[in-house]
């Protein structure tokens, strides 16, 4: 009804678009601030912002020990590292490949632990051991296989505790096709068991994993590249869990529910929001924070939502490679394969990186993780990484990181 056309009625003036947008951003800013400063189980209301390094030049325990002095000259507060052990038969075992049915022994990693304990950190206060969801060939109903997976998580937590690391960095992404641990359609028993049966079992396994972690390190930080932020689009459908079916991570929220079921109040979770790789506007960071703190609760069982609100932090991933190539699009939505970078908005890649880091550190609860692929910060044997260092190809990027907090 057009009230403005009625005789004697008050004329309603339309608010200018710029004012509406400003009001929307202000509201998002307030909501993100209010959500991020809520008091949790043991979480401080005043958390310093930290930059964590990871990427294709990731170090293992040997390279970390040998290059620590050089590494700590870089603008980070911590690193994620590969931990590699050796079985009694001499075969290597990687915590990145924790989702497999081969049992390991804690002493298989003693050499790596010894090297890590010899590291004398001065700058790196928040370090993480990497656990990956690969090869992901253990069916959720394979009890013997899951005993091994759970043991691998327990070993990871033990290593983090014994070395004084902050915790575990979990990468849920599948890299070993045809397997994908959190995809129902890739499970060996999908023809015999329903999606709901698998969801229930995934939740059970999450609880088993968390009990194993907490037994070793009850105050651990479980940092993830992403939690339910990867499936947030399902939150707008009814019921959200059913809307997950056929998505690539349809079993992941159930696994997270299991982790929450068994998590003691001291444990901190971080949803690292990998989708922030191409964020290029403050509103995108704010909206993501509100989604993680708010909408993503719809993917959590009602009995775990208070715990989720109290113990799950918002984090962001910043993708260095995206700041090497200019883009025509004003937004950061990379809906096509052509988008390999953010819009530089008339400036340099370093200027955009500085702006995006400033926004990310402003909105995050505590952590921003810096991910790079094509260049390096420190020595690496990875032949896929170019020899140049990031400050050589993105001049001033290190200074931008030092002064953004």
């Amino acid at each position: 009804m057009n009230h403005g056309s009625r005789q004697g009625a008050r004329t309603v003036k339309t608010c200018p678009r710029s004012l509406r947008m400003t009001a929307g951003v202000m509201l998002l800013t307030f909501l993100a601030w209010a959500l991020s400063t809520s008091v949790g189980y043991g979480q401080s209301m005043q958390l310093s912002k930290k930059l964590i390094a990871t990427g294709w030049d990731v170090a293992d325990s040997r390279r970390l020990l040998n290059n620590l002095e050089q590494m700590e000259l870089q603008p980070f507060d911590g690193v994620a590292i590969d931990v590699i052990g050796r079985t009694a038969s001499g075969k290597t075992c990687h915590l990145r490949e924790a989702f497999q049915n081969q049992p390991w022994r804690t002493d298989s990693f003693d050499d790596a632990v010894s090297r890590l304990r010899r590291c004398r950190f001065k700058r790196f206060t928040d370090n993480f051991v990497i656990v990956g969801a690969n090869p992901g060939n253990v069916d959720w109903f394979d009890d013997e296989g899951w005993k091994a997976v759970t043991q691998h998580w327990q070993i990871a937590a033990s290593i983090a505790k014994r070395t004084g690391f902050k915790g575990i960095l979990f990468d849920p992404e599948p890299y070993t096709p045809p397997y994908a641990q959190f995809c129902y359609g890739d499970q060996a028993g999908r023809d015999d068991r329903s999606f709901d049966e698998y969801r229930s079992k995934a939740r059970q396994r999450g609880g088993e994993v968390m009990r194993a972690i907490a037994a070793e390190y009850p105050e651990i930080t479980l940092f993830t590249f992403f939690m339910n932020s990867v499936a947030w689009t399902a939150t707008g459908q009814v019921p959200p869990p059913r809307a997950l079916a056929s998505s690539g991570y349809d079993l992941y929220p159930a696994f997270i529910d299991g982790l929450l079921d068994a998590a003691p109040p001291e444990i901190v979770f971080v949803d690292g929001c990998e989708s922030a790789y191409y964020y290029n506007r403050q509103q995108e960071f704010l909206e993501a924070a509100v989604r993680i703190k708010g909408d993503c609760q719809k993917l959590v069982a009602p009995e775990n939502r208070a715990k989720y609100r109290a113990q799950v932090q918002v984090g962001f991933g910043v993708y260095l490679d995206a700041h090497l190539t200019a883009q025509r699009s004003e937004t950061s939505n990379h809906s096509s394969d052509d988008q390999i970078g953010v819009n530089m908005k008339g400036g340099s890649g370093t200027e955009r990186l500085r702006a995006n880091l400033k926004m990310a550190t402003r909105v995050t609860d505590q952590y921003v993780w810096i991910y790079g692929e094509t260049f390096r910060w420190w020595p690496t044997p990875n032949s896929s990484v170019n020899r140049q260092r990031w400050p050589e190809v993105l001049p001033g990027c290190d200074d931008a990181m030092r002064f953004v907090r």
Side-chain angles (χ1 to χ4, degrees):
M1 181 181 296
N2 185 0
H3 294 101
S5 65
R6 289 172 54 194
Q7 187 176 3
R10 178 176 60 87
T11 301
V12 179
K13 295 183 178 180
T14 303
C15 183
R17 181 174 182 271
S18 61
L19 184 58
R20 295 199 306 273
M21 291 180 64
T22 301
V25 170
M26 290 176 64
L27 176 60
L28 284 168
T29 303
F30 171 76
L31 289 173
W33 171 84
L35 288 165
S36 65
T37 57
S38 60
V39 180
Y41 293 94
Q43 288 192 35
S44 170
M45 292 181 66
Q46 299 295 327
L47 298 172
S48 58
K49 306 305 174 77
K50 307 280 183 76
L51 301 183
I52 306 301
T54 185
W56 285 8
D57 61 348
V58 63
D60 61 12
S61 61
R62 191 182 304 276
R63 291 197 300 280
L64 179 65
L65 177 62
N66 292 342
N67 298 288
L68 181 59
E69 184 175 356
Q70 174 190 345
M71 292 173 70
E72 288 202 309
L73 294 175
Q74 309 311 316
F76 303 108
D77 301 287
V79 291
I81 72 157
D82 275 333
V83 180
I84 304 169
R86 193 169 295 278
T87 65
S89 63
K91 185 178 179 181
T92 58
C93 44
H94 298 248
L95 284 181
R96 274 186 180 269
E97 300 171 354
F99 281 66
Q100 60 173 285
N101 59 11
Q102 297 300 311
W104 299 336
R105 293 163 52 107
T106 301
D107 60 11
S108 297
F109 297 88
D110 279 355
D111 287 346
V113 169
S114 175
R115 286 189 288 269
L116 293 176
R117 295 181 72 172
R118 282 153 51 199
C119 291
R120 296 294 178 260
F121 296 109
K122 297 178 180 178
R123 178 181 177 87
F124 291 170
T125 58
D126 292 52
N127 302 305
F128 298 86
V129 299
I130 300 173
V131 170
N134 290 281
N137 57 356
V138 181
D139 189 88
W140 296 89
F141 285 86
D142 179 353
D143 290 336
E144 288 302 311
W146 270 92
K147 285 181 182 178
V149 174
T150 300
Q151 177 212 33
H152 301 161
W153 276 93
Q154 187 164 8
I155 290 172
S158 172
I159 292 171
K161 180 69 172 180
R162 292 160 62 196
T163 56
F165 275 32
K166 198 72 172 179
I168 292 170
L169 175 62
F170 179 46
D171 182 1
E173 188 170 347
Y175 303 114
T176 50
Y179 306 112
Q181 190 67 64
F182 296 106
C183 179
Y184 169 64
D186 288 331
Q187 303 308 306
R190 64 187 180 276
D191 294 331
D192 301 318
R193 293 186 172 93
S194 69
F195 174 58
D196 286 337
E197 288 177 294
Y198 266 96
R199 285 185 62 247
S200 177
K201 185 60 70 172
R203 183 171 178 176
Q204 174 191 324
R205 301 306 189 193
E208 293 167 359
V209 165
M210 179 50 71
R211 283 186 285 275
I213 292 172
E216 298 292 337
Y217 197 167
E219 67 278 14
I220 197 170
T221 295
L222 182 54
F223 196 151
T224 69
F225 281 155
F226 49 84
M227 290 176 64
N228 284 340
S229 62
V230 75
W232 74 269
T233 54
T235 63
Q237 303 179 52
V238 180
R242 294 299 307 168
L244 288 167
S246 77
S247 71
Y249 293 95
D250 45 17
L251 298 176
Y252 190 37
F255 182 73
I256 292 171
D257 243 338
L259 295 174
L260 289 167
D261 284 337
E266 297 83 10
I267 285 183
V268 174
F269 298 85
V270 181
D271 187 324
C273 192
E274 185 177 302
S275 57
Y277 271 6
Y278 293 92
Y279 287 0
N280 208 25
R281 293 176 295 142
Q282 179 170 276
Q283 184 172 347
E284 292 175 294
F285 289 99
L286 292 169
E287 288 175 344
V290 171
R291 282 197 300 267
I292 292 170
K293 294 280 190 173
D295 290 348
C296 287
Q297 291 183 63
K298 297 176 183 177
L299 300 175
V300 176
E303 61 271 23
N304 279 334
R305 289 176 185 172
K307 185 180 285 190
Y308 177 94
R309 289 192 296 271
Q311 293 179 247
V312 176
Q313 292 184 3
V314 172
F316 293 111
V318 172
Y319 184 37
L320 291 177
D321 301 68
H323 295 82
L324 294 174
T325 306
Q327 283 293 304
R328 291 188 300 271
S329 171
E330 184 67 17
T331 68
S332 65
N333 298 321
H334 61 300
S335 57
S336 71
D337 293 336
D338 295 331
Q339 179 148 1
I340 56 175
V342 298
N343 183 343
M344 302 306 174
K345 299 187 177 182
S348 68
T350 300
E351 289 170 337
R352 279 319 306 162
L353 176 64
R354 182 183 295 110
N356 288 332
L357 281 169
K358 183 177 180 180
M359 291 183 283
T361 54
R362 181 181 181 186
V363 178
T364 185
D365 282 318
Q366 185 173 21
Y367 292 110
V368 174
W369 50 286
I370 310 298
Y371 188 82
E373 294 179 350
T374 50
F375 300 98
R376 68 186 69 199
W377 290 101
W378 34 67
T380 176
N382 188 343
S383 60
S384 298
V385 180
N386 291 298
R387 296 188 63 83
Q388 297 106 308
R389 296 177 59 253
W390 277 107
E392 296 177 67
V393 295
L394 206 55
C397 66
D398 47 349
D399 289 333
M401 294 180 194
R402 286 188 179 96
F403 297 112
V404 75
R405 285 160 292 186

Short mmCIF file of all heavy atoms in Angstrom, two decimals, residues 99-120:
data_model
loop_
_atom_site.label_atom_id
_atom_site.label_comp_id
_atom_site.label_asym_id
_atom_site.label_seq_id
_atom_site.Cartn_x
_atom_site.Cartn_y
_atom_site.Cartn_z
N PHE A 99 43.44 -40.17 9.06
CA PHE A 99 42.20 -40.91 8.83
C PHE A 99 42.50 -42.15 8.00
O PHE A 99 42.10 -42.28 6.84
CB PHE A 99 41.17 -40.01 8.15
CG PHE A 99 40.49 -39.06 9.10
CD1 PHE A 99 41.19 -38.05 9.72
CD2 PHE A 99 39.13 -39.19 9.39
CE1 PHE A 99 40.57 -37.17 10.61
CE2 PHE A 99 38.50 -38.33 10.27
CZ PHE A 99 39.22 -37.33 10.89
N GLN A 100 43.20 -43.09 8.61
CA GLN A 100 43.53 -44.37 8.01
C GLN A 100 43.48 -45.43 9.09
O GLN A 100 43.50 -45.13 10.28
CB GLN A 100 44.91 -44.34 7.36
CG GLN A 100 46.04 -44.03 8.32
CD GLN A 100 47.40 -44.18 7.66
OE1 GLN A 100 47.87 -45.29 7.45
NE2 GLN A 100 48.03 -43.04 7.36
N ASN A 101 43.43 -46.69 8.67
CA ASN A 101 43.21 -47.78 9.63
C ASN A 101 44.49 -48.44 10.12
O ASN A 101 44.43 -49.45 10.83
CB ASN A 101 42.27 -48.84 9.03
CG ASN A 101 42.82 -49.44 7.74
OD1 ASN A 101 43.98 -49.23 7.38
ND2 ASN A 101 41.99 -50.20 7.04
N GLN A 102 45.65 -47.89 9.76
CA GLN A 102 46.90 -48.46 10.24
C GLN A 102 47.23 -47.92 11.63
O GLN A 102 47.36 -46.71 11.82
CB GLN A 102 48.05 -48.12 9.27
CG GLN A 102 47.87 -48.71 7.89
CD GLN A 102 47.78 -50.22 7.91
OE1 GLN A 102 48.61 -50.90 8.54
NE2 GLN A 102 46.78 -50.78 7.24
N PRO A 103 47.36 -48.80 12.62
CA PRO A 103 47.68 -48.31 13.98
C PRO A 103 49.11 -47.79 14.05
O PRO A 103 50.01 -48.31 13.39
CB PRO A 103 47.49 -49.56 14.85
CG PRO A 103 47.69 -50.72 13.92
CD PRO A 103 47.21 -50.27 12.58
N TRP A 104 49.29 -46.74 14.84
CA TRP A 104 50.61 -46.18 15.09
C TRP A 104 50.94 -46.34 16.58
O TRP A 104 50.06 -46.63 17.38
CB TRP A 104 50.67 -44.70 14.74
CG TRP A 104 50.38 -44.37 13.31
CD1 TRP A 104 50.53 -45.19 12.23
CD2 TRP A 104 49.91 -43.12 12.79
NE1 TRP A 104 50.18 -44.54 11.08
CE2 TRP A 104 49.80 -43.26 11.39
CE3 TRP A 104 49.58 -41.89 13.37
CZ2 TRP A 104 49.36 -42.22 10.57
CZ3 TRP A 104 49.15 -40.86 12.56
CH2 TRP A 104 49.04 -41.03 11.17
N ARG A 105 52.17 -46.10 16.92
CA ARG A 105 52.60 -46.07 18.32
C ARG A 105 53.03 -44.65 18.66
O ARG A 105 53.60 -43.94 17.82
CB ARG A 105 53.75 -47.04 18.53
CG ARG A 105 53.40 -48.50 18.38
CD ARG A 105 54.65 -49.35 18.20
NE ARG A 105 55.64 -49.09 19.25
CZ ARG A 105 55.92 -49.94 20.24
NH1 ARG A 105 55.26 -51.08 20.34
NH2 ARG A 105 56.85 -49.65 21.13
N THR A 106 52.79 -44.27 19.89
CA THR A 106 53.21 -42.93 20.32
C THR A 106 54.71 -42.75 20.14
O THR A 106 55.17 -41.67 19.71
CB THR A 106 52.82 -42.70 21.78
OG1 THR A 106 51.41 -42.84 21.93
CG2 THR A 106 53.22 -41.29 22.23
N ASP A 107 55.50 -43.80 20.41
CA ASP A 107 56.95 -43.66 20.31
C ASP A 107 57.43 -43.60 18.86
O ASP A 107 58.61 -43.33 18.61
CB ASP A 107 57.68 -44.76 21.08
CG ASP A 107 57.34 -46.17 20.59
OD1 ASP A 107 56.71 -46.31 19.53
OD2 ASP A 107 57.71 -47.14 21.30
N SER A 108 56.52 -43.83 17.91
CA SER A 108 56.88 -43.66 16.50
C SER A 108 57.26 -42.21 16.20
O SER A 108 57.95 -41.94 15.20
CB SER A 108 55.73 -44.09 15.59
OG SER A 108 55.43 -45.46 15.74
N PHE A 109 56.81 -41.28 17.05
CA PHE A 109 57.05 -39.86 16.82
C PHE A 109 58.05 -39.27 17.82
O PHE A 109 58.19 -38.05 17.91
CB PHE A 109 55.72 -39.10 16.90
CG PHE A 109 54.73 -39.51 15.85
CD1 PHE A 109 53.86 -40.58 16.07
CD2 PHE A 109 54.66 -38.85 14.63
CE1 PHE A 109 52.94 -40.96 15.10
CE2 PHE A 109 53.75 -39.23 13.66
CZ PHE A 109 52.88 -40.29 13.89
N ASP A 110 58.76 -40.13 18.54
CA ASP A 110 59.65 -39.63 19.59
C ASP A 110 60.75 -38.73 19.04
O ASP A 110 61.13 -37.74 19.67
CB ASP A 110 60.26 -40.79 20.37
CG ASP A 110 59.31 -41.35 21.43
OD1 ASP A 110 58.22 -40.75 21.62
OD2 ASP A 110 59.63 -42.37 22.05
N ASP A 111 61.30 -39.07 17.87
CA ASP A 111 62.37 -38.24 17.31
C ASP A 111 61.85 -36.84 16.99
O ASP A 111 62.52 -35.83 17.27
CB ASP A 111 62.94 -38.88 16.05
CG ASP A 111 63.81 -40.09 16.36
OD1 ASP A 111 64.17 -40.27 17.54
OD2 ASP A 111 64.12 -40.86 15.42
N ALA A 112 60.65 -36.77 16.41
CA ALA A 112 60.05 -35.47 16.08
C ALA A 112 59.77 -34.68 17.36
O ALA A 112 60.04 -33.47 17.42
CB ALA A 112 58.77 -35.67 15.28
N VAL A 113 59.25 -35.35 18.37
CA VAL A 113 58.96 -34.67 19.64
C VAL A 113 60.25 -34.14 20.26
O VAL A 113 60.30 -33.01 20.77
CB VAL A 113 58.24 -35.63 20.62
CG1 VAL A 113 58.18 -35.03 22.02
CG2 VAL A 113 56.84 -35.94 20.11
N SER A 114 61.32 -34.93 20.20
CA SER A 114 62.59 -34.49 20.75
C SER A 114 63.08 -33.22 20.06
O SER A 114 63.55 -32.28 20.72
CB SER A 114 63.63 -35.61 20.60
OG SER A 114 64.91 -35.17 21.03
N ARG A 115 62.95 -33.17 18.74
CA ARG A 115 63.38 -31.97 18.02
C ARG A 115 62.52 -30.77 18.39
O ARG A 115 63.03 -29.65 18.58
CB ARG A 115 63.34 -32.22 16.52
CG ARG A 115 64.46 -33.10 16.00
CD ARG A 115 64.49 -33.15 14.49
NE ARG A 115 63.40 -33.93 13.94
CZ ARG A 115 63.45 -35.24 13.67
NH1 ARG A 115 64.56 -35.92 13.94
NH2 ARG A 115 62.42 -35.87 13.15
N LEU A 116 61.23 -30.97 18.49
CA LEU A 116 60.33 -29.86 18.82
C LEU A 116 60.60 -29.34 20.23
O LEU A 116 60.50 -28.13 20.48
CB LEU A 116 58.87 -30.31 18.68
CG LEU A 116 58.42 -30.63 17.25
CD1 LEU A 116 57.00 -31.17 17.25
CD2 LEU A 116 58.52 -29.40 16.35
N ARG A 117 60.93 -30.22 21.14
CA ARG A 117 61.20 -29.79 22.51
C ARG A 117 62.54 -29.05 22.62
O ARG A 117 62.77 -28.32 23.59
CB ARG A 117 61.18 -30.99 23.45
CG ARG A 117 59.79 -31.62 23.54
CD ARG A 117 59.74 -32.79 24.48
NE ARG A 117 59.82 -32.38 25.87
CZ ARG A 117 59.64 -33.20 26.91
NH1 ARG A 117 59.34 -34.48 26.68
NH2 ARG A 117 59.73 -32.76 28.13
N ARG A 118 63.39 -29.21 21.64
CA ARG A 118 64.66 -28.47 21.62
C ARG A 118 64.52 -27.09 21.01
O ARG A 118 65.46 -26.29 21.07
CB ARG A 118 65.71 -29.28 20.86
CG ARG A 118 66.28 -30.42 21.69
CD ARG A 118 66.78 -31.57 20.86
NE ARG A 118 67.70 -31.17 19.79
CZ ARG A 118 67.97 -31.94 18.74
NH1 ARG A 118 67.36 -33.12 18.60
NH2 ARG A 118 68.82 -31.53 17.83
N CYS A 119 63.38 -26.80 20.42
CA CYS A 119 63.14 -25.47 19.87
C CYS A 119 62.96 -24.47 21.01
O CYS A 119 62.18 -24.71 21.94
CB CYS A 119 61.89 -25.47 18.99
SG CYS A 119 62.06 -26.39 17.44
N ARG A 120 63.67 -23.36 20.94
CA ARG A 120 63.56 -22.31 21.95
C ARG A 120 62.85 -21.12 21.32
O ARG A 120 63.47 -20.24 20.73
CB ARG A 120 64.95 -21.91 22.46
CG ARG A 120 65.68 -23.04 23.18
CD ARG A 120 64.95 -23.41 24.48
NE ARG A 120 65.59 -24.53 25.18
CZ ARG A 120 65.18 -25.77 25.13
NH1 ARG A 120 64.10 -26.07 24.39
NH2 ARG A 120 65.80 -26.72 25.78
#
